[in-house]
Every structure is written in C-alpha cells, then in structure tokens.
Amino acid sequence: MLNSLNSPQREAIKYLDGPLLVLAGAGSGKTRVITEKIGYLINEAGYHAKEIAAITFTNKAAREMQERVSKLMAGKETQVKSSKGLTIATFHSLGLQMLRAEASLLGYKPQFSILDSSDSFKIVADILATTDKQLLRKTQYQISAWKNGFINPDQAKASAEEELTHATAKVYQLYQQTLKAYQAVDFDDLIKLPVELFEQHESALNKWQRKLQYLLIDEYQDTNACQYKLVKMLTGVRGQFTAVGDDDQAIYGWRGADVENLRQLTEDFSKLKVIKLEQNYRSTVRILRAANAVIANNPKLFEKKLWSELGTGDMIQVSAQQSEESEAESVLMKLQAHKFEHRTRFLDYAILYRGNHQARVFEQLLRNQKIPYTISGGQSFFDKAEIKDVVSYLRLVANEDDDPAFIRAATTPKKGIGNTTLERLGEYASAHKMSLFAAAFEQAFQAEIGHKQCDDLMKFCQYINKLQARAVRDPAGEVLNDLVTSIQYEAFLYDNEESRAADSKWANVLEFIGWLTKKGASSTEFGNENAGKNLLELTQMVSLMSMLEGREDGEPDAVKLSTLHAAKGLEFGHVFLIGVEEGILPHRESVDAGVLDPSKIEEERRLMYVGITRAQKSLNISWCKKRKRAGEMQLCEPSRFIAELPSADLRHFGNPFNDPDISKDFGKSKMANIRAMLANK
C-alpha cells in the first residue's frame, strides 16, 4: 500500500515519535496521507479506531475521508471490525459531541439548541433595538471574532479602547445571557464552550484525552485561536498528532483563521517534526511555475516549491476585455469551443472569481445559451424558508426553552396566536426569567389574556408536548410525516404561494423528510456512534449541517461557478479566472489597508495562488479595461498579480502592448482546427 506513495508521503504516514506538521502543497495528496495514516495507526501501530479522531473543516471533506478509509479497510474482515468507532468529523461536530456528553457540567441540558446566523442576528437586533443592518452585521461579526479568539465578554469589555467597542462588548454580554436563557449555543460556541469546559473541569479533559489518543487535523492553516487551544488541550503533553496544512493557502484571515498557528506549533512543541509534500499530482508544469512565481512574492513561513511530472502543458492565456459583458462572452465562447474540440464535459470547467457579484453576468449568459451550471455560495438547502419552518418545530420539540423556534413554530402556519398574545407572553416570560413555552403554562399569565387566546396557545403547547413524547420512541420519518400533516403545511404553502413555487417548496419538504428518515436509520455524520438516532438526537445534527454545507448530492455535469474561497480544495480540468484587476483581486479594501498592513495583500496573493492551483490542464486569466461600479463606468488596471506571472508561460490577448499578429495567428490556427474537426464528422 505504501509502495505507491512518494518518500515524504511515506515518512509522514510512518512518523509516530511525536507531534508532526505536514506542509502539504496544493494537489500533493494530503487527503491520501491522512487516510493512509489512519490505516497505519490501526493496522501497524496498535491504536484502536475509537482512539483516533480525524478533524476537518467541512462535511464534504469528512465524507470524502470516511469513504476513503472505508475503501482502504474493505475486504479485510478483521480490519473492518477494527475501524469501528473511528471519529471523522468537522471541528464543530466534534465540539457538539463533547458538549452533548458534558452539557450538565456547563449548566446546559443535552438537548440544547444550535442557533443559526439569522437567529443570532435577531437576538442582536432585539438587544440593540435597531434595524440598521450594517451596525447589526458589524456587531455580530465582532462577537464572532471575540469568540474565535477565546475572549469572553468581561475580557472584551476590559480590553475595549474605543467607546463603540465597549458598547459592543456590553451587547456581547447580553447576547450570551440570552443564549443561556434559551438553553442555546451559536456556531462559535461549539468550539469555545468545549475549551471552557476543559479549562474548568480537569476530569472532563482527562476523559477526552484518554478517549482520543491520536489526532489528525486537516487544513491546519485555517484554524483560529480557539480551535488551536482545543487541539493543544486534547493532545496534552504527549503531542500525539499530525497537523496537515499549507501556509500558502491560508485565505480565511477575515473570519478569524490565524496562519500564525503554524508558527505557534514550532514554539509550543519543541519536538515538532516538519515534513514537506512538494510533488503535485494535479497540474502541469506551466501552471505550477505560475503559482510558484506569484507566491514567491510573499514572505515565507516555510520554504517550499511545487513540482510535477505531468508535462509542460498549455500556455496560460491572459485576456484583456473591454467590459464585463465582453469578458463573459469571451469566456463562454472559449469554453464551448474548447469543449467541442477536446470532447470534454461541462463539469471539467470552472469559472472562478473574487466576489459573488461577478457571477451575475455569467449566470445570465449561461442561461441564455442553455449551458448547465452550478453556483457555490448560493442559498443552502437548509436556509430555505420551508425547511426552517419544519426545523423550528423540531428545535422546539428538542428544547422547549428555544424562544426563536417557539415564535416561528407558533406562527407558521398561523394558529390564532396573534402578535399581541406573543408580546404579552414575551413580557411575562422576561419579567419572570423563563422561556415563552414555560410562561404559557403559568396560571398568572393565562389569567391576563382572553379565553380564545389562551385556548389557541395551550392547544399549540400541548401539541408540542405530544410530539416530545413521540420523538423519543417513534421512528423519525413517521413523526415528521405526521407533523406536516397535522399542521396542514402543504395546504399552507398552496394558500400562500403561486402553484409552481408551492410545488417546489413542498417537494423540498418531502425531500427533507426522506433525507432525515434515512439519517434516522443510520447516521454517520459525527462518527459511527450516531447510528440509528431518534428525532430528538437528529435535530442538533440538522442545526449543525445547516451551517456546515448540506447534503450528499452527486456532482452534476455542469460548469462550476464559484468564489475563490469556496473553490479551495477542489480541482478542475480547465479554469477561467475572471476579473483579475486591481480593486477586485487584490480586493480594494486590502489595497487601501495594504500600506498599513501588508498581510492583507499577502492574503489576496494566496487567494490568487489558490485560484491558479485549482487548474489541472489549462488556465485562462481575464481582466476588464472598464467596469461598471455604482452605476458609473470606471477604468480598470490589470492586477499586480498578473505582472508576477512568468512571462515565458503566458500568451496575452486584447492587450495593446502585445504583438497583434501573434494573437491573430493563434486565433486563425484554432479556427482551422475546429473547421477540420467539423469536416471529419
């Protein structure tokens, strides 16, 4: 098995003498190293599968790893048995496992709710009593940054230098108190709370250190301060871990990831061994030369250079276009001609860009030309209103203190519970420091409202109680089907939507129920210990999956439109990197801040590097001479990153500084090839 690997890969798999950092360049086979190392730990090093945890950042990466490990162990009965209990999970789902097991130590019940971003946003809006979306987003972002940096409300207050930051720290304190009252946590708490738990309860830390004796951490450069703390605590003084990462692909600084965690490893673990994976199995030599040349302009934490045995490959094309419309037309013309000439599929092509707004003009053209496409960063399945409606009932069944879920479930579909009743219920609950659900049963509150209002409210609450009883004993699918039938959700959709929209929404609800029914039968989302969960236990999984990315959909034959951030970890035969201009890539905010903070431009350069290294066989880069901004046409300049590419590997088009005859000859020869192919059909 190990013979087919190169020697640094083999060394990384076999090294068990202490902490290990594997610097894995783009396309260097890092997932294979992690999965083969899991096999090696179980088969050769005497570890039990249940003592090993592989931690990733996305469900997709966890799934891919799970599949690869299953294939690796397939066909060997003793090995299949010995791989039972292996934990392959995202940071957040591992944190959820820990919180679920130790909830009481932190004053939570095991069925706490996980609030999504929009629930958190509403809580912040209630605290600030404003509709100023920009202020609310800023506040929400700051609270998240504090949590990721493992800073509690008191520390945030103490370190606040400006009045505004001090005010935000107060909001943070009220926000945390509200979450605790709801018996709820947000996405960031899934990492922060386990770290707090381990700091406060040594017995819990010892238990989890014994349970997870070897850690493998994927995409290590994307960890934030809180995640690093968690890893450090779990590995303890033994430092039995393999961290796999690439400082050249650290592109998440804006959401709290700290590339300094790589440097910190070398300081915190004096015996740290570093192994570099530099052989790339994805791209041609020209593409790698371009990537190496660009990233060489960044200061290096660790020196490394990608190389490949896949041949020199095509020249990299750089096109200057008159406008974003002509850029889109040119890209689609090239894409279709290339597909026809090389007999490829649509899914071999990706159009990558810095910001979501750049996709609009491409989407329009792709639709007009009936070219199938998928777009990343679009609305998640779990963010659809109809799914959130059904999930609000599940959340309330799992945790009756979840006030945001109570309000949504009580009013969707309408049940005679009006805003006035809810307002008075809210006032009573707040005054008596209890949840809305508990307040509804209070005789003193019931005496305040009319009989009709009280009856409607009680009917709803008693229905939730019935569901709670069923949720622990009956199959998840059965309970869900009965739920949507009894609240007449299908009729509600058709009463409130046009028939086509209602069809689509109802189909989504049925798909969700089918999907959850399957999960209830056998769930592997958080490692094998989740097989056969009931509806209550599945609810937290759904809440978490709505924040990581959704379901196991196959890859359709369609052109991929994606932001550079969302494309990390993916690869495509042919890549069109668009809008490579000053102010877009690098982003204008980083250009403005770059003078004071060079790290902003360095992160943008790493984004360019990520874009280049997605391509296997061909790379097209384009920029516009003019672009509409805020309704006005503005002149644009090519990105500084284009000037950093090796000129011998580039062929420019539409640039006044190039020899026009070369571009013309190239176009003629391409056309001649296509004509010849048509003649031979």
Side-chain angles (χ1 to χ4, degrees):
M1 199 186 291
L2 297 183
N3 292 344
S4 60
L5 299 164
N6 63 39
S7 92
Q9 287 174 329
R10 273 199 301 277
E11 189 186 3
I13 288 163
K14 288 181 165 183
Y15 186 81
L16 294 172
D17 294 339
L20 171 66
L21 171 61
V22 179
L23 280 171
S28 62
K30 71 178 174 68
T31 308
R32 187 171 178 197
V33 166
I34 295 171
T35 49
E36 298 273 7
K37 185 149 192 170
I38 291 169
Y40 185 80
L41 287 165
I42 295 168
N43 297 329
E44 309 290 334
Y47 279 87
H48 292 291
K50 62 179 190 222
E51 298 169 338
I52 301 166
I55 310 174
T56 68
F57 272 82
T58 64
N59 283 325
K60 188 169 177 257
R63 259 195 321 269
E64 188 185 333
M65 215 172 273
Q66 188 93 50
E67 282 160 16
R68 290 203 194 186
V69 171
S70 301
K71 275 184 195 158
L72 199 64
M73 299 300 203
K76 300 172 188 171
E77 203 179 315
T78 54
Q79 290 184 7
V80 172
K81 278 180 192 160
S82 66
S83 69
K84 286 268 159 63
L86 174 70
T87 299
I88 296 179
T90 62
F91 264 107
H92 292 92
S93 52
L94 180 64
L96 174 56
Q97 263 188 49
M98 292 166 172
L99 282 183
R100 222 189 243 151
E102 317 295 343
S104 58
L105 292 175
L106 287 171
Y108 287 89
K109 54 188 183 189
Q111 290 303 332
F112 54 82
S113 296
I114 303 168
L115 301 189
D116 66 14
S117 179
S118 62
D119 290 323
S120 303
F121 187 84
K122 277 183 196 142
I123 293 169
V124 173
D126 288 345
I127 293 167
L128 281 170
T130 179
T131 53
D132 181 344
K133 282 194 175 163
Q134 205 178 351
L135 174 64
L136 292 172
R137 273 196 207 99
K138 252 187 180 166
T139 308
Q140 196 178 14
Y141 180 81
Q142 181 58 68
I143 291 171
S144 178
W146 276 326
K147 288 190 178 191
N148 288 332
F150 199 67
I151 295 165
N152 65 34
D154 291 336
Q155 291 166 324
K157 252 192 218 169
S159 63
E161 288 171 12
E162 299 163 18
E163 206 176 315
L164 191 65
T165 319
H166 199 268
T168 309
K170 276 187 189 161
V171 176
Y172 179 18
Q173 195 150 33
L174 293 168
Y175 172 77
Q176 276 309 101
Q177 286 166 2
T178 307
L179 288 193
K180 198 70 193 269
Y182 290 173
Q183 279 285 303
V185 301
D186 65 16
F187 196 49
D188 300 315
D189 285 332
L190 293 173
I191 313 292
K192 180 175 168 281
L193 289 175
V195 176
E196 280 178 17
L197 169 82
F198 293 149
E199 279 191 340
Q200 293 162 20
H201 301 276
E202 203 178 335
S203 59
L205 175 60
N206 293 337
K207 172 184 154 184
W208 283 90
Q209 282 179 340
R210 279 194 306 277
K211 185 175 161 64
L212 302 176
Q213 297 199 14
Y214 201 96
L215 293 190
L216 300 108
I217 305 113
D218 191 14
E219 303 285 12
Y220 186 77
Q221 75 284 348
D222 294 338
T223 53
N224 58 40
C226 217
Q227 286 160 333
Y228 180 57
K229 242 178 169 14
L230 184 63
V231 167
K232 223 165 77 172
M233 292 176 105
L234 284 173
T235 55
V237 285
R238 299 185 329 276
Q240 287 299 89
F241 68 83
T242 296
V244 182
D246 181 6
D247 48 328
D248 291 334
Q249 293 187 73
I251 57 172
Y252 289 112
W254 52 277
R255 70 173 189 204
D258 191 355
V259 70
E260 281 298 307
N261 285 348
L262 285 167
R263 194 195 309 278
Q264 199 63 44
L265 270 183
T266 59
E267 290 171 19
D268 291 346
F269 297 92
S270 54
K271 290 182 178 169
L272 183 78
K273 167 116 174 139
V274 179
I275 295 172
K276 297 176 192 177
L277 305 183
E278 295 169 294
Q279 183 174 358
N280 173 288
Y281 293 93
R282 176 187 298 160
S283 309
T284 63
V285 171
R286 273 205 172 101
I287 289 166
L288 295 183
R289 270 205 298 253
N292 288 331
V294 166
I295 208 67
N297 293 282
N298 270 2
K300 303 293 271 183
L301 197 52
F302 302 95
E303 265 317 317
K304 75 173 181 316
K305 210 163 202 176
L306 295 180
W307 59 276
S308 159
E309 292 177 340
L310 298 176
T312 309
D314 296 344
M315 295 280 274
I316 294 167
Q317 295 186 29
V318 179
S319 310
Q321 297 295 334
Q322 292 304 322
S323 65
E324 51 202 307
E325 288 76 19
S326 61
E327 180 182 41
E329 284 163 11
S330 162
V331 164
L332 293 195
M333 205 165 68
K334 281 182 187 170
L335 189 154
Q336 286 172 292
H338 189 280
K339 181 179 181 293
F340 177 76
E341 196 179 343
H342 296 272
R343 299 282 191 269
T344 48
R345 294 178 300 168
F346 284 120
L347 60 75
D348 295 321
Y349 298 88
I351 299 168
L352 307 181
Y353 38 82
R354 175 67 178 84
N356 275 314
H357 64 278
Q358 292 169 265
R360 279 181 216 128
V361 60
F362 282 87
E363 278 199 84
Q364 216 169 350
L365 266 182
L366 285 159
R367 280 199 298 268
N368 290 349
Q369 299 190 22
K370 297 192 168 45
I371 296 173
Y373 69 92
T374 59
I375 184 158
S376 70
Q379 191 189 34
S380 150
F381 180 75
F382 295 97
D383 279 339
K384 293 179 188 295
E386 61 273 23
I387 303 302
K388 289 179 112 172
D389 288 344
V390 176
V391 169
S392 68
Y393 285 84
L394 302 189
R395 278 172 41 186
L396 193 55
V397 165
N399 169 20
E400 58 198 40
D401 296 328
D402 186 339
D403 284 359
F406 181 97
I407 291 164
R408 187 166 193 140
T411 55
T412 318
K414 295 216 179 307
K415 301 170 182 66
I417 303 168
N419 285 344
T420 314
T421 307
L422 283 174
E423 260 174 52
R424 290 172 74 177
L425 182 65
E427 282 161 15
Y428 186 93
S430 176
H432 294 81
K433 296 191 167 42
M434 58 176 65
S435 70
L436 296 173
F437 192 87
F441 287 92
E442 293 275 300
Q443 281 186 327
F445 168 71
Q446 291 178 3
E448 282 181 21
I449 58 171
H451 281 305
K452 167 86 173 73
Q453 286 88 340
C454 186
D455 287 350
D456 288 334
L457 195 56
M458 278 295 94
K459 208 166 146 189
F460 169 66
C461 292
Q462 282 157 1
Y463 176 63
I464 296 297
N465 283 148
K466 274 184 205 151
L467 280 179
Q468 284 174 325
R470 288 194 60 194
V472 285
R473 60 165 202 261
D474 294 349
E478 202 179 293
V479 181
L480 273 168
N481 274 310
D482 290 350
L483 163 65
V484 291
T485 304
S486 63
I487 65 171
Q488 299 179 318
Y489 193 73
E490 185 180 7
F492 161 75
L493 285 177
Y494 283 94
D495 288 345
N496 287 278
E497 304 280 349
E498 288 178 10
S499 61
R500 278 181 65 182
D503 286 344
S504 159
K505 288 181 176 225
W506 181 240
N508 285 336
V509 169
L510 294 179
E511 186 188 343
F512 174 66
I513 292 172
W515 177 82
L516 210 53
T517 304
K518 206 169 74 185
K519 286 279 171 207
S522 63
S523 174
T524 55
E525 215 52 55
F526 304 122
N528 296 336
E529 65 180 52
N530 259 42
K533 290 286 183 194
N534 65 32
L535 190 58
L536 281 187
E537 294 157 318
L538 286 170
T539 302
Q540 287 175 329
M541 183 198 84
V542 173
S543 300
L544 181 55
M545 285 197 76
S546 64
M547 287 173 267
L548 297 159
E549 84 289 330
R551 307 152 303 152
E552 305 92 283
D553 291 339
E555 199 65 46
D557 183 23
V559 175
K560 181 78 165 177
L561 264 60
S562 174
T563 61
L564 288 163
H565 284 101
K568 188 159 84 74
L570 305 178
E571 55 185 41
F572 307 93
H574 312 281
V575 167
F576 292 89
L577 191 46
I578 64 164
V580 186
E581 295 146 35
E582 285 295 301
I584 291 184
L585 183 64
H587 194 275
R588 65 175 173 275
E589 280 176 23
S590 64
V591 173
D592 298 340
V595 183
L596 301 168
D597 185 2
S599 70
K600 296 273 194 288
I601 292 288
E602 286 161 21
E603 182 153 324
E604 293 293 303
R605 188 174 280 113
R606 292 195 288 269
L607 210 44
M608 177 76 174
Y609 175 84
V610 164
I612 294 169
T613 52
R614 297 314 91 204
Q616 295 168 308
K617 295 173 185 166
S618 77
L619 175 63
N620 282 267
I621 295 170
S622 56
W623 63 279
C624 297
K625 296 174 185 177
K626 286 180 190 168
R627 189 178 286 275
K628 208 173 237 181
R629 276 207 190 120
E632 283 181 31
M633 268 301 190
Q634 294 185 353
L635 291 171
C636 307
E637 290 176 36
S639 166
R640 67 192 72 190
F641 304 144
I642 291 177
E644 294 171 0
L645 296 166
S647 54
D649 291 317
L650 306 184
R651 181 178 274 121
H652 287 270
F653 294 90
N655 193 326
F657 305 110
N658 288 330
D659 183 344
D661 292 335
I662 294 175
S663 295
K664 217 178 274 176
D665 290 347
F666 181 77
K668 277 182 186 167
S669 70
K670 270 283 182 215
M671 211 57 220
N673 281 350
I674 291 171
R675 279 205 192 96
M677 285 180 73
L678 283 168
N680 292 332
K681 276 199 94 171

